[in-house]
Amino acid sequence: MQEDLFKRLVSHCKEYGFIYPSSEVYDGLGGVYDYGPMGAELKNNIKEYWWKAIVQMHENIVGLDSAIFMHPKIWKASGHVDAFNDPLVDNKDSKKRYRADQLIEGEIDKLQKKIDKEVEKASKRFDNFDEAMFRSTNPRVVEWAQRADDIAKRLAKALSAGDMADLKAQIDELGIADPESGSRNWTEVRQFNLMFSTQMSNIAGDDGKLYLRPETAQGIFVNFLNVQKTTRQKVPFGIAQIGKAFRNEIVGRQFIFRMREFEQMEMQFFVRPGSEMEWYEYWKTKRMAWHQSVTPAAKLRFKPHEALAHYANAALDIEFEFPFGFKELEGIHSRTDFDLNSHQELSGRKLQYFDPELNENYVPYVVETSIGVDRMFLAVMTNALVEETVPDAQGEDSTRTVLRIPPALAPVKCAVLPIVRNKEELVEKARSIFDRLKPYFQCQYDEKDAIGRRYRRQDAVGTPYCITIDFETMEDDTVTIRERDSMKQERVPVAKVAEIVREKTDMHRLLASLT
Ligand code: ATP
């Protein structure tokens, strides 16, 4: 069922101009995608909603747009040159590459699925089924859960110790086979650095080796004092940035969930040392509220990290229930003073803040919120895509595909439709209404096909309102306005349309709900 939803989602994205595979005429490029006309609008709206919620709604957060190329030493200081690796393993027979940790996680997922099946079976057998009791007492379920837990713990330990030999040992002990070929003939596991590199034209050798940034955060760290001085912000304050990031993922997977070129929305919040846990809690709550303003709460959850990255003293993910299960959508990390300190050491420049209230200099601590635009896009589409049965014009059952995208994020806010296209005065009137509306929001004019089909086309791209111009319009200057979800139609004066649509689709409502 969920797999089915995922397939439908991918083909819907292609069919309606949301997302195309990159370089499709050359059979595509793995883990890279292009956003079509509808996708570009939706993506811009997601970015705008994040930017406004973070920058516009907080006096003490300012924006930045730093370059993708940065001095190569930045990636040495941040730890990416030495430690931004994934464990890679090749299957000698199929020649396929895998992430060793994902193969092992696959075993945990299998056990989890077995447990869920057992619970479901039992819940059908017993009337007053006590799930918690069953999970903690059924011998088979307890044994599987214990096994899953043991595997997860050993995996986390091997990953944080960088113990590649133990990952290989786990693959062998668990008898993991290549999902494609069934072969168990694996190479050793080795570290693979995820940064893409390129060469600057005017500097030869390693000094001219540039990296495509794997995160936007470092551009914020190295500009921390520039921004603080030019904006006269006082700690605590934040710097936000939206931009492309690049990771040479071993396996590009699950559509736009794991890409090699993607976009991040990151915010680094600089705080007094010692106050970071308070701010970590604050941003945890704030970011969850932002998600819940556009996503049902049941599809979101917090997941604390099993193993902390070298720079963090606390970290969690906000997970979303994608069609392939709960997975990371956003990370919230207390990054301590690791990055600023490292840049201070390697550059030899002071990156300290003078706190006028304490009358002392210090390197601030940092709480980071980091979300992928593309994963948010996939979350919005997952929530939105619905197929439902509705009555057609003759009252018969018909199915419609509708994207219930929150109106403020919808690519097109309003479609303008003359009821027929062979009456010149109707078309002229519709065109003049379209011209009046387009300065206010994204509109579409459509006169092709029967009105019912045009409504369906707009439903399929998530347009919240359709305005229909008919013969009555010519008499009393009113139009029908149709709402996407309820399909209710109302007659309203032409002069009111812009105001109605703007009030319902503008971002200010969502933003106001966050305070
Ligand atoms: P994962 O564990 O899924 O690889 P991560 O922990 O490496 O993710 P972060 O480094 O915390 O991810 O990056 C912050 C955010 O950037 C993630 O929450 C995710 O939304 C997004 N992101 C990271 N890698 C990718 C990718 N390859 N494709 C799309 N989005 C990504």
Side-chain angles (χ1 to χ4, degrees):
M1 177 62 193
Q2 286 298 83
E3 256 169 49
D4 190 44
L5 166 69
F6 191 41
K7 274 198 197 132
R8 271 196 291 126
L9 209 141
V10 175
S11 66
H12 194 89
C13 279
K14 169 107 195 283
E15 188 181 345
Y16 288 92
F18 284 87
I19 297 171
Y20 313 123
S22 157
S23 324
E24 204 184 1
V25 291
Y26 292 99
D27 295 332
L29 182 65
V32 187
Y33 291 88
D34 297 336
Y35 286 80
M38 287 296 147
E41 294 291 343
L42 173 56
K43 197 176 181 207
N44 279 340
N45 293 342
I46 290 172
K47 290 193 274 188
E48 187 185 343
Y49 181 41
W50 181 87
W51 188 267
K52 289 192 163 162
I54 297 282
V55 178
Q56 185 175 315
M57 298 297 283
H58 296 92
E59 282 171 68
N60 61 349
I61 300 181
V62 290
L64 180 75
D65 185 1
S66 72
I68 288 173
F69 288 140
M70 288 190 274
H71 197 287
K73 279 190 179 167
I74 284 179
W75 306 110
K76 184 76 190 156
S78 68
H80 284 83
V81 171
D82 298 317
F84 194 53
N85 302 317
D86 273 344
L88 170 77
V89 65
D90 288 304
N91 188 280
K92 289 186 200 159
D93 296 325
S94 70
K95 311 279 181 238
K96 290 259 169 211
R97 301 207 128 164
Y98 294 94
R99 258 174 68 178
D101 55 332
Q102 285 177 350
L103 287 177
I104 298 168
E105 274 166 7
E107 293 303 297
I108 302 172
D109 287 348
K110 272 190 212 156
L111 286 164
Q112 221 59 56
K113 278 199 185 116
K114 271 165 87 168
I115 295 173
D116 291 346
K117 245 194 184 156
E118 200 71 7
V119 170
E120 201 190 320
K121 256 187 6 207
S123 73
K124 286 187 185 139
R125 258 201 329 265
F126 304 110
D127 278 345
N128 290 324
F129 181 60
D130 182 341
E131 186 178 325
M133 169 83 99
F134 182 79
R135 280 181 185 272
S136 62
T137 54
N138 179 280
R140 262 197 299 192
V141 167
V142 170
E143 193 208 316
W144 291 333
Q146 184 61 49
R147 214 187 301 163
D149 195 47
D150 290 345
I151 300 173
K153 287 212 175 97
R154 185 166 161 196
L155 173 63
K157 198 168 155 214
L159 285 175
S160 60
D163 188 345
M164 298 298 110
D166 193 51
L167 292 179
K168 176 65 177 16
Q170 287 182 60
I171 290 177
D172 291 339
E173 282 167 36
L174 293 165
I176 296 175
D178 179 347
E180 298 235 345
S181 67
S183 152
R184 293 187 171 80
N185 193 7
W186 299 106
T187 62
E188 292 307 307
V189 178
R190 60 193 187 283
Q191 296 279 26
F192 178 80
N193 192 284
L194 296 184
M195 282 196 294
F196 282 100
S197 64
T198 187
Q199 190 71 31
M200 191 101 150
S201 62
N202 60 345
I203 310 168
D206 257 7
D207 288 348
K209 183 175 177 185
L210 297 189
Y211 295 102
L212 299 189
R213 65 182 179 197
E215 62 177 25
T216 62
Q218 297 304 324
I220 294 180
F221 287 123
V222 296
N223 276 299
F224 150 73
L225 267 192
N226 278 340
V227 172
Q228 191 274 322
K229 286 191 172 139
T230 48
T231 59
R232 299 187 317 280
Q233 287 286 349
K234 289 199 175 100
V235 165
F237 77 96
I239 304 176
Q241 156 150 263
I242 300 179
K244 288 269 181 161
F246 304 84
R247 295 184 187 180
N248 201 355
E249 301 280 0
I250 294 166
V251 207
R253 273 209 317 190
Q254 287 150 334
F255 194 36
I256 54 170
F257 181 82
R258 189 168 301 286
M259 301 158 92
R260 296 196 168 95
E261 173 180 341
F262 59 102
E263 214 166 347
Q264 288 186 315
M265 307 190 277
E266 296 197 297
M267 193 274 296
Q268 313 292 322
F269 200 70
F270 299 89
V271 305
R272 276 186 190 161
S275 69
E276 70 274 12
M277 289 321 288
E278 208 179 292
W279 286 109
Y280 175 72
E281 288 302 320
Y282 173 87
W283 283 109
K284 193 176 136 184
T285 312
K286 272 261 165 177
R287 292 304 302 146
M288 187 52 111
W290 184 85
H291 283 287
Q292 289 184 358
S293 69
V294 288
T295 298
K299 287 187 149 276
L300 295 160
R301 70 179 188 198
F302 288 121
K303 168 102 184 291
H305 283 195
E306 295 254 349
L308 290 177
H310 57 280
Y311 52 74
N313 67 358
L316 59 80
D317 296 336
I318 294 179
E319 291 192 333
F320 170 78
E321 191 176 15
F322 290 98
F324 37 83
F326 271 99
K327 293 270 182 283
E328 172 174 350
L329 171 59
E330 168 156 5
I332 298 175
H333 313 125
S334 173
R335 287 179 83 127
T336 68
D337 55 357
F338 172 83
D339 302 85
L340 289 178
N341 260 337
S342 301
H343 289 308
Q344 224 177 212
E345 262 168 44
L346 202 62
S347 68
R349 300 272 183 89
K350 274 213 154 49
L351 285 174
Q352 295 191 352
Y353 168 75
F354 175 73
D355 192 322
E357 281 170 37
L358 299 180
N359 203 21
E360 69 180 55
N361 279 305
Y362 55 78
V363 176
Y365 271 44
V366 172
V367 174
E368 160 185 84
T369 70
S370 172
I371 170 173
V373 179
D374 313 271
R375 285 195 193 172
M376 186 61 200
F377 188 108
L378 187 56
V380 169
M381 291 297 278
T382 305
N383 286 328
L385 186 65
V386 174
E387 240 167 61
E388 58 184 16
T389 307
V390 291
D392 65 11
Q394 285 75 42
E396 302 284 321
D397 275 359
S398 72
T399 53
R400 74 161 180 164
T401 303
V402 55
L403 280 184
R404 294 182 189 269
I405 299 176
L409 301 183
V412 176
K413 306 301 184 204
C414 178
V416 178
L417 318 169
I419 191 110
V420 290
R421 66 164 159 172
N422 51 8
K423 284 276 176 283
E424 208 175 304
E425 73 268 30
L426 272 190
V427 167
E428 236 171 60
K429 180 75 181 168
R431 279 256 167 228
S432 81
I433 293 175
F434 175 67
D435 287 341
R436 268 165 70 180
L437 294 179
K438 69 186 182 192
Y440 294 95
F441 34 73
Q442 188 70 34
C443 287
Q444 242 183 22
Y445 175 83
D446 189 6
E447 58 177 31
K448 197 168 168 285
D449 297 322
I451 191 73
R453 284 188 66 180
R454 279 181 274 163
Y455 284 151
R456 291 289 188 273
R457 267 207 295 272
Q458 293 301 330
D459 288 343
V461 296
T463 306
Y465 292 98
C466 287
I467 308 294
T468 306
I469 289 84
D470 55 19
F471 294 99
E472 225 180 300
T473 312
M474 308 313 294
E475 284 162 21
D476 61 5
D477 218 28
T478 63
V479 289
T480 58
I481 182 164
R482 171 189 181 269
E483 200 267 328
R484 177 193 69 198
D485 297 344
S486 64
M487 298 193 298
K488 280 209 184 100
Q489 302 194 18
E490 234 184 289
R491 270 214 102 77
V492 299
V494 168
K496 284 249 163 92
V497 172
E499 193 189 317
I500 294 171
V501 176
R502 196 157 65 156
E503 177 54 29
K504 297 263 170 64
T505 62
D506 196 89
M507 236 162 240
H508 74 268
R509 280 167 162 252
L510 277 183
L511 291 167
S513 77
L514 297 176
T515 51

